Amino acid sequence: MTEGEEYCLARMSVDPFMAMKKSNYNKNNQRRFSDEQIKSLEMMFESETKLEPRKKVQLARELGLQPRQVAIWFQNKRARWKSKQLETEFNILKQNYNDLASQFESLKKEKQALVSELHRLNEEVQKTHEEKRLCCGDQAAVVALSSTDHESENEENTRREQEEEVRPEMEVCEKGDDGVLCGHHNDDYDDGGYNNDIKREYFGGFGEEADHLMNIVEPADSCLTSSDDWGGFKSNANLLDQSSSNCPWWDFWS
DNA sequence: ATGTAGCTCAGCATTACATCA
DNA sequence: TATGATGTAATGCTGAGCTAC
């Protein structure tokens, strides 16, 4: 028979009414331990969260409790302590998360502002270019220019066709079975290749103007244009956009 | 050496009650 | 005063470790 069972039987023999109910009272018919008892138990708990059997018996004797009661107090105390610790850790993680989220938001706004500025500058440059062309007014030059434009357009088309042939390979390579990007191995698409094409599309195709703009905006060897970064960003762009549009996935905190 | 029954103990979920707003 | 939320001592069950047979 365990200590607890002994104690319960003892209580029941003293107070028959206890046999009807579950016994939640100590020797002195107190449900709660006294302040002194709690203080001693707390002190012991601070030095060791698990009590050796010998110390348990000794402490129980000192406090006028059953060893079983001391053991249970330690058990409950450990559970409370654990959940408190869990709560603390949770709060720390939550705080870290909130900091990162607000950092992310401000970076997103900064990026949006930069993109808008870029649009504005691009339009301005194109407008200037148009004006220059119109005010020159030389028909021959315009014809020459337009024929050169056609030529370069044809060259561009040929080049695009060639690139289209290469690109499918790339797309297969870009996302493996496990969904992990494997980078761009084709020389045409290394750093200045694939990324430059993306930028060219943005700046209005091939031509001096586009080249000029691209050089102004970002040096070719900039870390911001490295294929890994772009690839990584591209692969996550949907996720980020989704998260920021409908229902942010961190909203569940609130 | 191995299997098994019996015992103790701790962990865990839950209960029963006290206390407080 | 009644009531719901919270804190706490205790219960019941379970599995692990140990021992005797």
Side-chain angles (χ1 to χ4, degrees), chain A residues 225-244:
Chain A
T225 60
S226 86
S227 59
D228 289 342
D229 291 345
W230 276 68
F233 182 73
K234 270 172 52 149
S235 67
N236 288 324
N238 285 343
L239 175 71
L240 294 176
D241 284 351
Q242 270 181 355
S243 69
S244 60

Side-chain angles (χ1 to χ4, degrees), chain A residues 8-53:
Chain A
C8 286
L9 278 182
R11 277 294 304 163
M12 285 170 193
S13 64
V14 170
D15 180 4
F17 185 64
M18 286 298 293
M20 309 280 287
K21 310 193 294 180
K22 292 201 171 184
S23 58
N24 281 326
Y25 298 86
N26 66 13
K27 270 181 181 172
N28 304 316
N29 208 21
Q30 293 172 323
R31 184 179 154 77
R32 287 177 183 241
F33 297 159
S34 69
D35 289 346
E36 288 77 31
Q37 286 171 328
I38 295 290
K39 203 173 165 186
S40 300
L41 289 163
E42 294 273 9
M43 272 172 61
M44 188 61 86
F45 186 81
E46 270 179 34
S47 62
E48 46 195 321
T49 55
K50 281 198 175 186
L51 211 51
E52 287 172 28

Side-chain angles (χ1 to χ4, degrees), chain A residues 86-98:
Chain A
L86 221 60
E87 200 183 322
T88 309
E89 280 170 25
F90 171 81
N91 285 331
I92 291 169
L93 283 173
K94 190 180 167 185
Q95 186 57 50
N96 287 348
Y97 171 79
N98 287 338

Side-chain angles (χ1 to χ4, degrees), chain A residues 47-239:
Chain A
S47 62
E48 46 195 321
T49 55
K50 281 198 175 186
L51 211 51
E52 287 172 28
R54 202 142 44 106
K55 281 189 181 173
K56 180 179 72 182
V57 174
Q58 190 188 337
L59 187 62
R61 203 180 301 138
E62 283 171 15
L63 300 176
L65 296 168
Q66 292 294 320
R68 172 74 179 158
Q69 286 179 294
V70 173
I72 286 169
W73 187 91
F74 266 76
Q75 202 168 302
N76 288 324
K77 183 71 184 174
R78 279 196 295 271
R80 286 194 287 269
W81 183 63
K82 203 172 161 185
S83 71
K84 204 142 219 165
Q85 258 198 333
L86 221 60
E87 200 183 322
T88 309
E89 280 170 25
F90 171 81
N91 285 331
I92 291 169
L93 283 173
K94 190 180 167 185
Q95 186 57 50
N96 287 348
Y97 171 79
N98 287 338
D99 291 348
L100 277 174
S102 66
Q103 214 176 319
F104 170 73
E105 276 303 311
S106 61
L107 279 172
K108 211 169 75 177
K109 277 180 192 155
E110 198 181 322
K111 179 203 151 195
Q112 197 54 51
L114 285 169
V115 165
S116 300
E117 178 70 1
L118 210 52
H119 269 296
R120 197 185 60 74
L121 287 171
N122 190 28
E123 277 167 14
E124 215 167 275
V125 166
Q126 274 183 344
K127 216 164 108 187
T128 315
H129 186 235
E130 279 297 313
E131 279 170 9
K132 215 193 288 175
R133 266 172 57 173
L134 286 174
C135 82
C136 284
D138 184 347
Q139 194 62 28
V142 170
V143 169
L145 193 66
S146 96
S147 78
T148 341
D149 280 351
H150 276 295
E151 277 173 27
S152 66
E153 213 172 285
N154 286 340
E155 280 172 22
E156 186 187 331
N157 285 341
T158 316
R159 190 189 150 145
R160 279 191 187 283
E161 280 165 17
Q162 286 171 351
E163 281 166 357
E164 286 302 323
E165 286 174 18
V166 180
R167 205 175 287 241
E169 278 180 40
M170 259 212 35
E171 282 168 0
V172 169
C173 172
E174 193 172 84
K175 195 167 186 179
D177 290 338
D178 53 357
V180 175
L181 295 172
C182 64
H184 310 296
H185 299 297
N186 189 309
D187 287 342
D188 288 342
Y189 291 94
D190 270 347
D191 298 331
Y194 180 65
N195 294 333
N196 280 353
D197 281 354
I198 295 170
K199 284 184 278 182
R200 274 186 200 286
E201 275 179 32
Y202 185 80
F203 289 119
F206 292 85
E208 277 182 36
E209 208 70 73
D211 282 342
H212 181 61
L213 263 176
M214 284 170 63
N215 286 333
I216 288 172
V217 169
E218 211 171 76
D221 60 348
S222 162
C223 62
L224 290 173
T225 60
S226 86
S227 59
D228 289 342
D229 291 345
W230 276 68
F233 182 73
K234 270 172 52 149
S235 67
N236 288 324
N238 285 343
L239 175 71

